[in-house]
Amino acid sequence: MSQLTVVVPAYNESAVLEQFHQRLGAVLDALPLHCDVLYVDDGSDDDTWAIITALAARDPRCGGLKLSRNFGKEAALTAGLDHVVADAAVVIDADLQDPPELIPELVAQWQAGHDVVYATRSARAGESGFKRFTAAAFYRSMEKLSDTTVPRDTGDFRLLSRRALDALRQLRERQRFMKGLFAWIGYRQTAVYYQRDPRQAGQTKWNYWRLTQLAIEGITSFSTAPLRLATWTGLAAALFAFVYGLWVLASALLYGNSVHGYPSLMVVILFLGGIQLLALGVIGEYLGRNYAESKQRPLYFIEEQRRPGAPTPASRPPHAPALD
C-alpha cells in the first residue's frame, strides 16, 4: 500500500491545532493509503509543541519536529519535507484556511500520474480587498519578471510525489522561496481549485511587512529583472540629465546666464541621487543574498523529534540532519 505523509508547519498555532487534527484525521481515515502526519514546530513560544506531543501520544500516525528556534516558514517546510520517507507528501497549513477535505482530490490527481498537484484559490474568504489586490499583483508580477512560471493565487498547499521530493531535496539554497522552488523542479504538475476559508482561530503571522519581505525574496530569487530595471533607469536618468544640460547651455547662449536656477538644480541633484540610491539598494539586495549563500549555514536545527508510531523505513532521508 502506498504511503502518504502530511507535513504541517506550525508557529504559535495552539488555538487551532486540536480542531485541525480532528478534521485531518477524519480525512486520512477515509483514504485507502497508509497515512501519517508530521507537524513542524517552528520555534513557537506558546504551547504548540506540547499539543503536538499530546496528539502524538493519542494518535500513532502523528509525529513532530521541534526546531531549535524560529527559522521561518520556508525553513520549517524544508525540514518537514526532508524527513518524509513516504511515497508522497501533502503540505498544508494548520490554520484551516486550506481545507483538509481537499486532500483526496490531490491524491486522485497524483494517482493519475502527476508529480505536483497544487491547490489554487478561486476565492479568498476573510481577506481584505487590499490583501487580495496585493496578492494578485505579486503573482502577476512574478509571471512577467521570472522565467519560472509560478502558478497564480497558489500557496504552499499541494501534494508532491516521491520524485518531486527527491528533486526538491537537492535544492539547498539558503534564501528559499518555496512556491518558486516547487515550480522550478518541473515534472508533471496540475491544479485543483478550491475556495479558501477564513482562519478558524488564532492570529495570522503574516503582516504586510513580512509579506513584502516574502515578495522581495521571491522576486530576487527567481529574477534579475530588478537589476536590469536599475540599469535602464540609470540610463534614462543620464539621458534626461544630458538633454537638460543641453537645454541649459542653449538657454545661456541665447538669453544669457542668469543667477536663477537653484530650484531646478536641486531637483536634478535630488533626482539623480535618488536614482543612484535606488540602484545601490537593488544591488545590495542581491549582494546580501550572495553573502548569505556563501556562508553555507545549515537551513535549520532540530531540538526534538517525535516519530509517528506507524512503521516507516529505517533509513534517514538524504540531507536530513542526524538527531544525536
Side-chain angles (χ1 to χ4, degrees):
M1 181 182 293
S2 298
Q3 289 183 303
L4 176 72
T5 296
V6 180
V7 177
V8 187
Y11 176 62
N12 291 345
E13 296 289 4
S14 59
V16 74
L17 270 180
E18 292 278 2
Q19 182 182 356
F20 169 82
H21 190 75
Q22 183 179 6
R23 283 178 58 179
L24 177 63
V27 172
L28 299 185
D29 288 340
L31 285 175
L33 301 170
H34 177 80
C35 302
D36 55 43
V37 185
L38 180 60
Y39 290 99
V40 183
D41 180 8
D42 187 24
S44 300
D45 50 24
D46 63 359
D47 57 350
T48 293
W49 180 246
I51 294 176
I52 293 173
T53 302
L55 292 173
R58 297 200 310 261
D59 189 344
R61 297 173 302 188
C62 182
L65 299 175
K66 178 177 173 58
L67 302 189
S68 61
R69 66 169 178 84
N70 178 236
F71 287 91
K73 184 183 179 183
E74 312 299 285
L77 272 179
T78 302
L81 295 175
D82 281 350
H83 286 76
V84 171
V85 293
D87 300 303
V90 169
V91 176
I92 185 172
D93 292 337
D95 56 15
L96 289 176
Q97 289 187 276
D98 301 326
E101 292 78 13
L102 193 67
I103 291 177
E105 293 188 42
L106 304 182
V107 171
Q109 290 296 327
W110 165 52
Q111 293 175 333
H114 295 94
D115 291 287
V116 180
V117 187
Y118 51 86
T120 298
R121 305 153 184 163
S122 58
R124 304 168 67 106
E127 296 183 358
S128 66
F130 181 72
K131 175 73 175 295
R132 292 194 295 271
F133 169 76
T134 53
F138 168 71
Y139 285 112
R140 284 147 184 79
S141 297
M142 284 294 296
E143 282 185 356
K144 302 295 184 182
L145 298 177
S146 175
D147 294 331
T148 301
T149 302
V150 178
R152 289 185 181 186
D153 304 314
T154 302
D156 296 316
F157 185 23
R158 67 192 65 212
L159 181 146
L160 301 162
S161 71
R162 180 75 264 165
R163 181 165 66 164
L165 288 168
D166 290 340
L168 198 63
R169 282 185 182 139
Q170 299 180 53
L171 309 179
R172 307 311 291 179
E173 58 201 65
R174 272 66 190 160
Q175 306 294 322
R176 304 183 72 78
F177 179 63
M178 296 301 292
K179 299 175 186 64
L181 296 180
F182 291 144
W184 188 87
I185 61 174
Y187 298 121
R188 295 187 62 189
Q189 305 199 9
T190 190
V192 171
Y193 294 88
Y194 74 107
Q195 294 187 0
R196 200 177 197 211
D197 298 325
R199 168 178 275 272
Q200 298 298 303
Q203 298 294 324
T204 180
K205 315 307 181 299
W206 291 96
N207 55 34
Y208 284 110
W209 170 250
R210 293 190 66 184
L211 289 171
T212 301
Q213 293 296 103
L214 181 64
I216 293 174
E217 193 75 57
I219 292 172
T220 54
S221 294
F222 286 88
S223 174
T224 57
L227 289 174
R228 296 194 188 101
L229 178 62
T231 300
W232 287 106
T233 303
L235 181 63
L239 180 62
F240 173 80
F242 178 73
V243 172
Y244 183 72
L246 290 178
W247 180 82
V248 170
L249 177 62
S251 178
L253 292 176
L254 294 175
Y255 305 108
N257 187 13
S258 63
V259 180
H260 302 292
Y262 176 77
S264 58
L265 178 63
M266 288 303 299
V267 168
V268 172
I269 291 175
L270 292 174
F271 175 73
L272 293 178
I275 294 298
Q276 291 171 347
L277 290 175
L278 175 64
L280 286 175
V282 171
I283 294 170
E285 286 288 339
Y286 284 91
L287 183 61
R289 278 151 177 75
N290 285 331
Y291 175 63
E293 294 292 336
S294 69
K295 289 185 285 189
Q296 292 292 298
R297 291 175 177 171
L299 298 178
Y300 56 86
F301 287 108
I302 295 175
E303 180 178 335
E304 190 175 347
Q305 180 175 7
R306 292 291 301 267
R307 297 184 183 276
T312 56
S315 59
R316 181 166 55 89
H319 300 294
L323 300 174
D324 51 9

